[in-house]
């Protein structure tokens, strides 16, 4: 593992700050929490209802080990009721599997429990087997391992995260899933060395995680969000560095799991103002809403409508924002 020294110091500072400022429990139900998004989210009442529906269990098939059909047959022989998610042949939806780590097929790493929106995000990166790919904020590695799988364990994935403790989970996941084309680094992403350029950069930034406020498989809504000062500036610095690490003709995917336009369209607008970047349509077939071109008093570049907002009442999963950006020169 390549280890930068600076990230370790900044993490220690981060840990101290969190100890002084404990998590705040939301004083209101999610509907009230999100009321400022009433005009932004289509069918707001349906959206609010969807937050109370238990999150379905999705199993991403590990095609490095077995085919989807083989997985399905094995799990159905155990009495599980499964449905294939129609837009991709990689994901099975389990009707009732609250503890997806229990079937022996999990230990055999034939599948990985993964939110459907997380799979969609990795599919949007669309790496080719011969690519050099950088995953700038990688841990715990659900998407990284899927990216390696899409590359058929060929090419090279550089999996980076500033948290060495979280990288331990990543390496365990990569090992369990049989990923062999990945090297692990530990830099602050915004200071990732500019020595080389990548065909693809994936930047799944730390965010305010509003999109995870949804009933879990056990039916309760987690109602805790930690305040994170400096988050928007960090996201923008990570996005700029991600862009600067692209080779000409390369493509990056920026993603968050939050509703906040400042962390989504705001970050992309910032990139467009700083660099010669182009927003590209996402050529996948999943229900979504377009990126915003206006939020309150702020106007965004019209091309930002090509970004995706995935809401839980449109696609039965947790919320995600996705942007696909290319660099011409
Ligand atoms: C949303 S999570 C990434 C999830 C991951 N892509 C996955 O699918 O499993 C954000 C990650 O960013 C990491 N992170 C936070 N600040 C960072 C920084 N400055 N540079 C690189 N990584 C950072 C966190 O440790 C965390 O693992």
């Amino acid at each position: 593992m390549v280890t930068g020294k600076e990230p370790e110091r900044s993490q220690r500072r981060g840990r101290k700050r969190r100890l002084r400022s404990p998590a705040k429990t939301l004083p209101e139900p999610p509907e009230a929490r999100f009321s400022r998004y009433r005009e932004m989210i289509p069918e707001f009442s349906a959206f609010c209802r969807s937050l109370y529906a238990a999150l379905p269990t999705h199993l991403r098939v590990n095609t490095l080990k077995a085919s989807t059909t083989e997985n399905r047959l094995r799990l159905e022989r155990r009495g599980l009721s499964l449905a294939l998610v129609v837009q991709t042949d990689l994901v099975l939806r389990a009707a009732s599997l609250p503890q997806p780590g229990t079937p022996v097929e999990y230990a055999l790493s034939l599948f990985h429990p993964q939110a459907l929106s997380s799979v969609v995000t990795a599919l949007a990166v669309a790496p080719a087997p011969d690519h050099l790919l950088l995953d700038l904020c990688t841990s715990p590695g659900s998407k990284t391992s899927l990216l390696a799988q899409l590359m058929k364990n060929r090419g090279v994935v550089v999996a980076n995260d500033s948290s060495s403790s979280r990288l331990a989970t990543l390496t365990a996941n990569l090992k369990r899933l049989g990923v062999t084309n990945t090297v692990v680094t530990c830099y602050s992403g915004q200071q990732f060395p500019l020595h080389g350029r990548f065909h693809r950069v994936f930047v799944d930034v730390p965010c305010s995680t509003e999109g995870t406020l949804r009933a879990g498989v056990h039916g309760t809504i987690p109602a805790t969000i930690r305040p994170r000062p400096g988050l928007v500036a960090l996201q923008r610095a990570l996005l700029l560095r991600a862009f600067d690490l692209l080779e000409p003709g390369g493509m990056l995917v920026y993603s968050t799991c939050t509703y906040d336009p400042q962390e989504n369209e705001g970050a992309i607008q910032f990139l467009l103002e700083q660099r010669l970047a182009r927003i590209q349509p996402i050529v996948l077939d999943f229900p979504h809403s377009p990126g915003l071109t206006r939020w309150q008093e702020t106007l965004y570049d019209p091309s930002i409508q090509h970004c995706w907002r995935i809401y839980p009442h449109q696609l039965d999963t947790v919320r995600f924002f996705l942007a696909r950006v290319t660099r011409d020169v």
Side-chain angles (χ1 to χ4, degrees), residues 57 59 71-83 92-100 102-105 111:
T57 301
L59 310 177
N71 253 290
R72 187 172 183 168
L73 287 174
R74 285 187 70 130
L75 291 167
E76 283 180 340
R77 259 186 251 126
R78 298 192 182 284
L80 286 178
S81 171
L82 298 167
L92 297 168
R93 181 182 163 128
S96 171
L97 184 58
Q99 290 176 311
T102 47
V104 70
E105 284 74 15
F111 69 81

Side-chain angles (χ1 to χ4, degrees), residues 12-200:
R12 281 201 294 275
R13 281 202 296 275
R15 270 202 295 277
K16 275 187 206 147
R17 198 163 45 233
R18 277 205 290 281
L19 286 177
R20 282 200 298 272
S21 150
K24 287 195 176 107
T25 301
L26 291 173
E28 73 257 276
E31 291 92 326
R33 170 77 176 77
F34 294 134
S35 62
R36 76 186 182 110
Y37 297 145
R38 182 175 288 276
E39 302 304 317
M40 179 181 92
I41 299 179
E43 306 162 281
F44 188 72
S45 309
F47 160 74
C48 290
R49 280 196 303 279
S50 74
L51 301 178
Y52 288 96
L55 187 64
T57 301
H58 287 109
L59 310 177
R60 184 252 297 175
V61 173
N62 182 11
T63 50
L64 296 176
K65 296 276 176 113
S67 70
T68 304
T69 312
E70 202 178 330
N71 253 290
R72 187 172 183 168
L73 287 174
R74 285 187 70 130
L75 291 167
E76 283 180 340
R77 259 186 251 126
R78 298 192 182 284
L80 286 178
S81 171
L82 298 167
L84 185 69
V85 170
V86 290
Q87 296 94 340
T88 165
D89 57 359
L90 289 180
V91 184
L92 297 168
R93 181 182 163 128
S96 171
L97 184 58
Q99 290 176 311
T102 47
V104 70
E105 284 74 15
Y106 173 81
L108 294 172
S109 54
L110 301 187
F111 69 81
H112 185 65
Q114 186 166 1
L116 183 54
S117 47
S118 163
V119 172
V120 175
T121 307
L123 293 177
V125 180
D130 61 346
H131 272 165
L132 180 56
L133 182 150
L134 171 64
D135 189 342
L136 204 54
C137 304
T138 192
S139 297
S142 293
K143 300 180 198 86
T144 319
S145 56
L146 174 51
L147 291 168
Q149 172 182 329
L150 295 173
M151 293 165 73
K152 304 183 192 315
N153 247 346
R154 288 158 46 196
V156 176
V157 176
V158 177
N160 178 75
D161 202 284
S162 62
S163 163
S164 53
S165 56
R166 283 174 65 86
L167 281 174
T169 317
L170 167 88
T171 45
N173 275 331
L174 296 180
K175 192 167 178 199
R176 187 180 69 77
L177 291 163
V179 171
T180 54
N181 67 342
T182 299
V183 294
V184 176
T185 61
C186 186
Y187 291 103
S188 285
Q190 65 275 30
Q191 289 161 6
F192 192 91
L194 289 165
H195 301 322
R197 295 291 184 271
F198 294 83
H199 299 106
R200 294 279 187 275

